[in-house]
Amino acid sequence: MSGASAPGAHGAAPGIDHLVVMAATLEDGDRWCRRVLGVETVPGGVHPLMGTHNRLLNVSSAAHPRAYLEVIALDPRARPALPPGARRWFDMDDAALRAQVERGGPQPIHWVASVPDIAAAHAALAARGLERGEIVTAGRPTPLGLLEWRITVRPDGQRLMDGCLPTLIQWGDRHPCHSLPESGVALQSLALAHPQAGALEAACAAIGLPGLPCTQAPAGRISATFSTPRGTVSIASPTPENAP
């Protein structure tokens, strides 16, 4: 990644951590992944605080050595354990976004940036008037031990900048890619488009991701390109012009 800063904790420099694909159900998300990328996802875990669950796909590449795709959906068996008035992450309680996913099927809605010092990255965004919310400590058990992380979560659940401004995450000693099998899919590039492209580009640089393509556009959009068993595949978040 062009211009990435020096490695931080556990040797991990700031980077693209994962792309968030929202689905009505995990089964829908897995079918979408097989249809679009030509591979199956693997079971992830549950998020009791948010009442969500996920499936994962390792998309690490030479350019992005710790990257994965997350298919996430509301967990019908769980109720979120959020404080009164709080909403789930990634705008997943937003009625318009839910309806868009119901109509159009699984779709990229957001991305998450991994940083070695989440407090410093959080402060850098706040200095630019971008409030990423509280820094929450979370974890879940895995067959290889406890997976722990710290993540920014806004009480209102908003993604900000149409999902183009990343959520921040800082991993503990282990990363999901340490136990995810190779998938045959590799992330080649991530690009952003937004009406406030300059502010978005400056925000990405402030958290250690200078050089991430940010172009001017009438509406926010996230685009990702992968090498897959089916060749090069690009996916993008819907805009008002192409939303179903």
Side-chain angles (χ1 to χ4, degrees):
M1 189 157 14
S2 172
S5 62
H10 312 303
I16 298 167
D17 191 74
H18 65 277
L19 185 68
V20 180
V21 173
M22 184 175 170
T25 69
L26 292 186
E27 293 74 19
D28 283 349
D30 189 55
R31 283 192 292 268
W32 173 88
C33 194
R34 284 186 274 129
R35 183 178 70 252
V36 174
L37 300 177
V39 297
E40 295 182 0
T41 57
V42 300
V46 298
H47 313 115
L49 178 64
M50 295 291 166
T52 58
H53 55 174
N54 64 12
R55 292 181 67 88
L56 308 177
L57 184 72
N58 191 340
V59 297
S60 300
S61 64
H64 308 287
R66 297 201 318 178
Y68 65 98
L69 184 147
E70 175 187 36
V71 172
I72 191 167
L74 303 183
D75 186 348
R77 302 161 298 179
R79 289 178 176 268
L82 292 166
R87 292 164 70 88
R88 286 180 257 219
W89 49 19
F90 309 150
D91 279 316
M92 293 182 72
D93 281 324
D94 181 77
L97 181 60
R98 286 196 194 183
Q100 181 177 294
V101 171
E102 288 284 350
R103 290 193 308 269
Q107 51 202 251
I109 62 163
H110 193 39
W111 67 289
V112 177
S114 176
V115 293
D117 185 340
I118 195 169
H122 183 276
L125 292 183
R128 287 158 176 77
L130 297 167
E131 180 49 59
R132 271 282 38 150
E134 300 177 10
I135 299 174
V136 176
T137 299
R140 64 177 174 87
T142 75
L144 297 179
L146 185 64
L147 189 64
E148 298 178 288
W149 65 94
R150 300 174 72 203
I151 188 169
T152 55
V153 179
R154 288 175 58 98
D156 60 11
Q158 289 185 13
R159 294 165 291 164
L160 299 184
M161 289 190 167
D162 304 314
C164 291
L165 183 75
T167 287
L168 305 175
I169 195 167
Q170 179 181 345
W171 292 97
D173 292 322
R174 295 179 53 252
H175 186 272
C177 287
H178 292 161
S179 56
L180 285 176
E182 292 187 8
S183 66
V185 174
L187 176 64
Q188 300 303 306
S189 65
L190 181 74
L192 308 171
H194 196 270
Q196 297 174 287
L200 179 59
E201 186 173 24
C204 290
I207 62 171
L209 293 174
L212 192 66
C214 299
T215 57
Q216 195 76 22
R221 195 177 197 196
I222 304 165
S223 303
T225 300
F226 304 87
S227 61
T228 80
R230 296 180 174 175
T232 301
V233 173
S234 295
I235 62 175
S237 56
T239 65
E241 292 78 21
N242 65 16

